[in-house]
Amino acid sequence: MPDALKNELLQLVTDAPDLAALEEVRVAALGKKGRVTGLMKELGGLSPDERRERGAALNLLKDEIAAAIDARKADLNTAHLKARLEAERIDVTLPVRPEVEGRIHPISQTIDEIVAIFAEMGFTVADGPDVEDDFHNFTALNFPPGHPARDMHDTFYLPDAGDKKMLLRTHTSPVQVRTMLSKKPPIRVIIPGRTFRSDYDMTHTPMFHQVEGLVIDETTNMGHLKGCLIDFCRAFFDVDDLPLRFRPSFFPFTEPSAEVDIGCSRKGGELKLGNFGDWLEILGCGMVHPNVLEACGVDSTRYQGFAFGMGIERIAMLKYGIPDLRTFFEADLRWLKHYGFVPLDVPSLASGLTR
Ligand code: DAH
């Protein structure tokens, strides 16, 4: 009798067309009121010998049916997934439909443009962690302990964890250190990324973006630094004769150091970039300090080079006429629709940076 029942139940399992039907078969066989369960309940009325024999046979039957149900379930699931994959196939190479609302954030767009320009000059992109230690963010960059420049950074320190003082990086410069520690010169990298300072007003947000540049080899000098930044600014702002002014300045990690202004006009309250006699500061730069090279294991009697750093929001605001820094991070879809960029308009120098 179990054989006939077994064959019948196995047939039902095989014939179940979907998961719901299979579940019905399971309940009818193994559920509380199922047929196999019913037979189990009858065991009580048998003699001990009969009970042992029949009990063993019923247990076997139960296991076999349960295994068959599991196998069928797996088959049905695979078939279901396969059918879905076939039915829901999408062609990722199709162009974006115009009615799609998504926009590229001006920060992403600006970073893409910066990368496109420096890639043409032979730079590669490097990155590093947002959570840094004191060594990479300050000490290796020639900020001595207690140096006032550390206070100027309004650092977010993390709760003490062990012997290392951890913080949110206040600039992208620590990635200079990481790059020099992990790569041999010649080095030619840019480092776009998030930075953090405890500050909030019209022109400061606690999180903002910078792009860092670093060139290290045996011959690079201040003339190369100037040429590189002049070419970059003219390409980025798309003003062929944009004048640049290099003003002496101070950063612990460069010597000499300079701040760079670009030419502009503020006539009538409107800011225009070009050769108009007025100036606007946009970045810091200099020749990498020998102390920094040595802290990173680079022989300062053989190697030299330049570094620069600039705020990405600032140059994005200038280029795209965005008046308030804080709006970048308010996640307002109307703002994004107005200032954002159409996807797949990937910037390159050949196609024009923005269209
Ligand atoms: N790290 C500086 C800051 O956040 C910016 C900077 C200045 C970076 C000069 C540099 C540099 O690499 O050479 O204020």
Side-chain angles (χ1 to χ4, degrees):
M1 141 63 184
D3 256 359
L5 179 61
K6 181 172 114 179
N7 290 340
E8 187 195 334
L9 291 176
L10 287 179
Q11 193 60 49
L12 287 173
V13 169
T14 317
D15 290 346
D18 53 36
L19 289 170
L22 185 64
E23 177 62 8
E24 273 175 34
V25 173
R26 190 190 66 78
V27 172
L30 306 179
K32 260 195 199 143
K33 295 187 179 143
R35 290 164 71 185
V36 178
T37 320
L39 292 173
M40 296 277 222
K41 281 182 190 157
E42 289 168 12
L43 288 175
L46 301 177
S47 72
D49 277 352
E50 277 177 321
R51 192 188 307 153
R52 194 174 316 118
E53 199 180 313
R54 197 157 164 80
L58 281 177
N59 268 329
L60 215 62
L61 173 65
K62 202 175 104 185
D63 290 348
E64 261 183 88
I65 302 297
I69 289 176
D70 282 349
R72 179 76 187 138
K73 196 183 258 178
D75 281 354
L76 286 172
N77 275 329
T78 313
H80 178 68
L81 180 64
K82 201 167 158 231
R84 256 190 77 187
L85 284 175
E86 304 241 314
E88 295 176 14
R89 195 177 345 201
I90 51 167
D91 183 350
V92 293
T93 65
L94 283 175
V96 174
R97 290 186 310 255
E99 68 272 19
V100 170
E101 291 278 308
R103 289 283 191 283
I104 303 292
H105 195 282
I107 292 296
S108 305
Q109 176 77 19
T110 304
I111 290 176
D112 289 349
E113 292 174 17
I114 295 168
V115 169
I117 296 169
F118 281 107
E120 288 271 323
M121 299 188 207
F123 284 73
T124 55
V125 176
D127 68 0
D130 290 356
V131 175
E132 265 297 2
D133 55 33
D134 191 82
F135 173 78
H136 291 89
N137 198 79
F138 289 126
T139 308
L141 289 166
N142 198 33
F143 288 78
H147 191 282
R150 286 185 184 227
D151 302 336
M152 282 162 50
H153 277 217
D154 297 313
T155 312
F156 286 114
Y157 285 99
L158 275 75
D160 267 353
D163 49 355
K164 262 195 197 167
K165 208 171 187 183
M166 303 302 284
L167 45 85
L168 296 181
R169 68 178 180 194
T170 58
H171 49 177
T172 41
S173 306
V175 191
Q176 286 190 32
V177 177
R178 291 186 176 276
T179 305
M180 285 188 272
L181 284 171
S182 63
K183 280 188 12 173
K184 297 243 161 308
I187 290 171
R188 199 179 286 184
V189 292
I190 56 162
I191 304 137
R194 287 192 191 98
T195 49
F196 306 85
R197 291 186 198 185
S198 180
D199 208 350
Y200 186 70
D201 59 31
M202 266 282 278
T203 51
H204 297 90
T205 49
M207 189 279 298
F208 58 105
H209 297 77
Q210 290 188 338
V211 59
E212 191 85 12
L214 178 68
V215 174
I216 302 289
D217 58 24
E218 295 187 27
T219 53
T220 288
N221 60 44
M222 192 98 183
H224 298 119
L225 165 62
K226 291 182 73 173
C228 173
L229 291 175
I230 290 169
D231 281 356
F232 167 76
C233 289
R234 290 182 177 170
F236 179 81
F237 292 109
D238 201 14
V239 179
D240 286 344
D241 62 347
L242 185 67
L244 270 72
R245 182 171 77 172
F246 288 73
R247 259 184 307 106
S249 183
F250 172 81
F251 301 102
F253 37 90
T254 43
E255 182 58 38
S257 304
E259 277 174 322
V260 176
D261 303 333
I262 51 177
C264 72
S265 147
R266 295 182 171 88
K267 264 211 198 91
E270 194 201 345
L271 187 73
K272 266 197 309 195
L273 299 181
N275 191 7
F276 301 112
D278 208 350
W279 298 99
L280 181 72
E281 183 206 319
I282 61 155
L283 64 90
C285 62
M287 300 304 294
V288 178
H289 198 295
N291 290 354
V292 176
L293 295 171
E294 294 297 335
C296 300
V298 176
D299 179 355
S300 65
T301 61
R302 178 165 170 205
Y303 294 107
Q304 59 185 36
F306 65 75
F308 58 85
M310 66 191 134
I312 292 180
E313 283 79 2
R314 186 163 168 74
I315 61 172
M317 287 165 82
L318 282 173
K319 181 164 177 177
Y320 296 114
I322 305 173
D324 186 340
L325 171 66
R326 291 172 294 194
T327 57
F328 276 84
F329 308 116
E330 284 171 354
D332 182 337
L333 279 180
R334 290 163 307 174
W335 183 89
L336 191 58
K337 204 164 173 197
H338 183 79
Y339 288 112
F341 293 83
V342 178
L344 302 189
D345 250 1
V346 183
S348 80
L349 283 185
S351 64
L353 287 178
T354 41
R355 277 174 272 171

